[in-house]
Amino acid sequence: MVRPWYPHMLPQDAETWTRFLEGNRMTLDAVWYDLHVGQAVTLPEGSPAWLLRVAAGVTRKRIDVVGFLGGIYYVIEVKPYLNQLALGQALVYVRLFEAEFALPGKAKPCVVCDQVDIDVGPIAAQFGVMVWSNEFVPELADYR
């Protein structure tokens, strides 16, 4: 479902996600936004409980979208441009997601983008990262 905003997404990321959803590329059975994974920063011993809660809320990593379809969890990074940063985020977030949640199988790392860096797209495919681009990229046709 297209929304007017998505938790913690930058405006340009939200525009990319909306274009993806409007293209009806995939209908997910369930969707979660802004999932926290990983460790919070370490605070000094004796820090007040309220500060520990704040640190846990703002310093853990955040997955843009987790979708569920056909028994598979898709950990989705949304960026206007697939570059090495987006690729790295997808790879790290999927491992943290698997470590944090008891899954019956492995999750699938994905990037939803508008454009694909010509050097990074083939590397994403080598690492098994699904790329759903709002533009057609012949080299990634098997991963869309």
Side-chain angles (χ1 to χ4, degrees), residues 11 15 22 35-36 49 52-53 60 73 80 89 94 114 116 120 123 126-127 132 139 141:
E15 290 169 9
E22 289 174 342
L35 260 68
H36 290 78
L52 296 172
R53 285 191 305 276
R60 296 178 72 202
Y73 288 93
Q89 285 176 289
V94 75
D114 289 322
V116 177
V120 177
I123 295 170
Q126 290 171 358
F127 278 95
W132 293 310
E139 303 84 45

Side-chain angles (χ1 to χ4, degrees), residues 76-92:
I76 305 168
E77 179 61 21
V78 180
K79 289 278 193 271
Y81 191 67
L82 170 63
N83 59 15
Q84 60 272 24
L85 175 63
L87 176 59
Q89 285 176 289
L91 290 168
V92 169

Side-chain angles (χ1 to χ4, degrees), residues 101-123:
F101 298 96
L103 304 175
K106 292 208 173 276
K108 187 77 178 157
C110 307
V111 175
V112 166
C113 61
D114 289 322
Q115 295 181 306
V116 177
D117 181 296
I118 195 165
D119 294 320
V120 177
I123 295 170

Side-chain angles (χ1 to χ4, degrees), residues 19-31:
R19 276 190 288 280
F20 172 76
L21 293 176
E22 289 174 342
N24 292 319
R25 305 270 173 102
M26 169 188 270
T27 303
L28 298 165
D29 294 333
V31 178

